[in-house]
Every structure is written in structure tokens, then in C-alpha cells.
Amino acid sequence: MNVIKLMFTDFSRWSKFRTELMGITMCGIIIDHIMGRLNAHNVVLDFISKVLHVETFLLLSGFGLFYSMNKGCKIIPFYLKRFQRVLFPFMVMVSPYLIYEFFIEKYSLLRLFLKVTSLDFWFNGNYIGAWYVAFSLVLYLLFPIFYKCVNRKRLLFSSINTLVLIFTLIAVNILIEYYFPLKYSQIEIALRHSPIFIVGIYIARFSLGNISKKTIALYWCGVVFIILILKLLTLKYGEWISGSYYSDMKQLFYLPLISMIFFLLYKFNLENILMKGFRWMGQYSLEIYILHIVVYRFAVSLTGYQYLENIVGDTAAVLSTVIVSLIICVPIHNFIEKLKSKI
């Protein structure tokens, strides 16, 4: 009973197991991409990829950024740190493939620059996972504003401001989709997940306060109520307005459950190679995320990949690109860190 109680009342475990949560989420994303590339379906794997997906990254990102800012981090160092942690590694990892693509497709140097810096996503839609980096940069830019809105002394005001931010972002999504449907179809992969980032910020604020049992109960009642409303809207109107928000909000139940499983493994000394694997993947999550896409795109552009598919089959060929990504992610991470030290 105490375990269940802790699972839904102690949000500090999200911070304690943030790296492992990022790692297990990365597993879900890779599974989703593999199944998509193979055009395959499996009940268990489909469920895992829905539970552990990129919205979890955004939720944990909002959560972690609040903790960082709450320690007294100044604006300029905050922006520089985010640039070094996200944009610079992305530019290093995608440049070889994009230069190769540049000579084949022969687009302009300006387009190459936009692609290398992830900005091309906002003009032409997603490519090699750039949406996550491009969208993260926008969220980082706006984060000080979000932080000031959510970080109020009284939790009631924090809650009201959070709801205003969430509904404002949902309204922005709806307006862009209504008036600019073509543009929205290119960037919705990012914009539709914006509310869950705000939820992550709010949960961090919630976890740092001296919260009473009554307040925690009200919080979960509110979460359940919102999820039910979104589900009803989805059933009545389809996925158009509420489907993605309903899917994202369910993470608020999945993450406490996963965090508690991690806690129990540590408490009873059951930590094993699986947990170490999740921690390792969490440490290199950005590199793995970008590389497993870039390596696959590089591979399929080469004639030899078709021969490999014919010899070992589609599944083994796709898995081989993931394995290569996992092998090279650490050396590339170390190379990027050396470049950072010289800047």
C-alpha cells in the first residue's frame, strides 16, 4: 500500500530516475521506428512504443529545466548550455549525411545551412529527426517566460497560469491547423506536443512545494478529469482536436509507475544489466536518437543496403543500422565533447 502511495505522491523520483526514464523512452522510440520501417505490427511492441515515446522526452525536459532554472541559473548561461547540449551535437552528427545529400539533390547552400541548423523544419517539415531539435530550441527560448508564469509562490496561481498556458498552446494549434492546414501538416509533429512540456514544468513546481495530501488528491482528480474529457472529445470528434493531447496526458500515469518499478529494483538490490542499459541509453539519448535515423538514411541511400536486405532479410538489415548507431554513439559523443572544449 505504501508503494502505491509513494508512486502517486513522490514526484521527486522523476528527478532521481530521469536518466533511466530517458533511456527506457529511447527504447520505445527505437521500437516504434523499427516497426514503422518494416511496416509491421505487434500488440506488445505497439503498446510499448505508445507508452514510451517522444512526448515523454518533452515532459521530462520541462521537468528538468524547471529544476535547473530553480537553482538560480542565469538566462545567457542557460541558453549557451542548451545550445551546446542540443544544437551543436545535432549539427555535428547530421552534417556528413546532409553534405552527402547536398551533392546528390543539388539544393542551395542556404537550404543546406537551414538543414544543418534544424531551421529547415519550420519551412519544409521534418527530416532525420530534426523536428525534435528545432522544437526544443523554441521551447528553450520561451522557457524563461514559461518558468515565470508557472513558478508562483502560491500553488493556486501556478495552477491557473499553467492551465492558461496549456489552453493557449492548444488554441494556437487549432488556429494554425484551421487557417494554414498545409503548413500545420508539416510542423504538427512538434506543435501538438507543446502542452505536455508545460505539464512537465508544472509537475516540477508541484514537486518542490510543501504539498498537502488534499492538494495531491485534487491534482490527481484534475488529471483524471482532463484525461476523461479529452477521451470523450476524441470519441465524439475523432483525433482532430484532442487525440494527441489525450495520448500525451496518459504519460502522467505511466511515468510514476515506471519510476516506482525502478525504485523497487534499487531498494531490493535487484539492479541488473537491464537498468544499467537504460541508464547508458539515457546518457546518450540525443546521440542515439539522431544517429539511428541518420545511419538508416545513409544506409538505404547506398546500393549495398539492398543487397544486404536480400541476403539477411528486412528485419536484420534494419536492426543492423540500429546496432551500428549504438556502437558509434559513445565515440561520437566523446568527439563532440572534445570539439566543445575547443570552442
Side-chain angles (χ1 to χ4, degrees):
M1 187 65 183
N2 287 334
V3 170
I4 301 296
K5 181 180 177 181
L6 281 172
M7 183 169 70
F8 291 106
T9 58
D10 189 358
F11 293 98
S12 64
R13 301 194 189 284
W14 291 26
S15 179
K16 181 177 181 179
F17 298 115
R18 185 174 181 272
T19 303
E20 288 87 345
L21 288 169
M22 296 287 277
I24 196 172
T25 300
M26 192 67 250
C27 292
I29 292 171
I30 289 176
I31 289 171
D32 180 62
H33 288 177
I34 289 174
M35 300 297 282
R37 290 164 187 171
L38 296 172
N39 195 25
H41 294 281
N42 177 279
V43 175
V44 175
L45 295 181
D46 285 348
F47 176 75
I48 292 173
S49 65
K50 287 180 180 179
V51 171
L52 303 166
H53 214 268
V54 74
E55 57 266 22
T56 311
F57 273 165
L58 293 171
L59 180 66
L60 292 172
S61 178
F63 186 88
L65 287 174
F66 185 94
Y67 271 69
S68 297
M69 188 67 78
N70 207 54
K71 293 177 182 178
C73 180
K74 295 184 178 180
I75 300 297
I76 300 301
F78 173 84
Y79 285 143
L80 290 175
K81 186 176 182 180
R82 263 67 233 176
F83 167 80
Q84 289 186 332
R85 182 171 292 180
V86 177
L87 181 58
F88 184 71
F90 173 80
M91 293 171 65
V92 173
M93 287 186 284
V94 302
S95 288
Y97 172 75
L98 291 177
I99 292 171
Y100 165 76
E101 182 186 70
F102 169 75
F103 284 108
I104 293 177
E105 298 189 8
K106 302 185 185 304
Y107 45 70
S108 67
L109 284 172
L110 175 60
R111 180 82 188 277
L112 176 62
F113 170 78
L114 292 174
K115 278 177 168 283
V116 169
T117 56
S118 80
L119 294 174
D120 192 62
F121 165 73
W122 298 110
F123 297 97
N124 298 293
N126 191 33
Y127 61 97
I128 55 175
W131 79 265
Y132 179 76
V133 174
F135 189 48
S136 293
L137 294 176
V138 172
L139 293 176
Y140 295 156
L141 184 65
L142 297 174
F143 181 77
I145 299 173
F146 295 153
Y147 176 80
K148 285 187 176 295
C149 289
V150 176
N151 189 32
R152 314 307 297 177
K153 289 184 178 180
R154 293 187 61 182
L155 187 60
L156 175 62
F157 294 148
S158 294
S159 303
I160 293 171
N161 289 353
T162 299
L163 287 173
V164 170
L165 284 174
I166 288 173
F167 285 114
T168 299
L169 291 172
I170 291 174
V172 168
N173 272 264
I174 293 172
L175 289 172
I176 294 176
E177 183 174 15
Y178 185 79
Y179 288 105
F180 308 100
L182 180 59
K183 173 54 65 177
Y184 188 76
S185 67
Q186 293 178 326
I187 63 176
E188 69 167 319
I189 189 175
L191 291 189
R192 69 187 183 197
H193 294 305
S194 51
I196 201 67
F197 180 79
I198 303 299
V199 173
I201 298 172
Y202 176 73
I203 291 175
R205 161 64 184 88
F206 193 82
S207 68
L208 290 175
N210 186 17
I211 310 300
S212 66
K213 293 180 180 180
K214 182 180 178 180
T215 303
I216 292 174
L218 288 172
Y219 165 82
W220 282 112
C221 287
V223 169
V224 171
F225 177 75
I226 292 172
I227 289 176
L228 288 175
I229 292 296
L230 291 173
K231 181 61 177 176
L232 290 172
L233 288 173
T234 303
L235 291 173
K236 185 171 182 179
Y237 299 106
E239 298 289 324
W240 181 65
I241 294 179
S242 55
S244 61
Y245 309 128
Y246 166 70
S247 178
D248 288 1
M249 286 294 290
K250 289 191 294 185
Q251 298 300 316
L252 299 181
F253 284 99
Y254 297 144
L255 282 182
L257 177 60
I258 296 169
S259 299
M260 187 50 59
I261 292 173
F262 288 168
F263 168 72
L264 292 174
L265 289 173
Y266 277 102
K267 183 176 181 179
F268 296 104
N269 297 317
L270 296 175
E271 181 185 6
N272 51 31
I273 192 170
L274 187 64
M275 285 294 293
K276 292 178 181 178
F278 290 149
R279 194 180 310 119
W280 180 83
M281 291 193 74
Q283 290 172 342
Y284 303 104
S285 57
L286 178 64
E287 289 83 359
I288 294 171
Y289 177 72
I290 299 300
L291 288 173
H292 92 278
I293 299 174
V294 171
V295 169
Y296 175 76
R297 291 287 296 274
F298 236 137
V300 296
S301 68
L302 302 175
T303 306
Y305 184 80
Q306 282 70 40
Y307 291 118
L308 179 64
E309 282 185 317
N310 293 333
I311 294 172
V312 301
D314 293 348
T315 303
V318 170
L319 288 175
S320 68
T321 64
V322 175
I323 292 170
V324 169
S325 305
L326 295 175
I327 292 172
I328 67 175
C329 71
V330 176
I332 288 180
H333 171 84
N334 294 336
F335 172 70
I336 291 171
E337 290 301 310
K338 287 183 180 179
L339 289 179
K340 287 181 185 178
S341 65
K342 294 179 181 180
I343 296 177

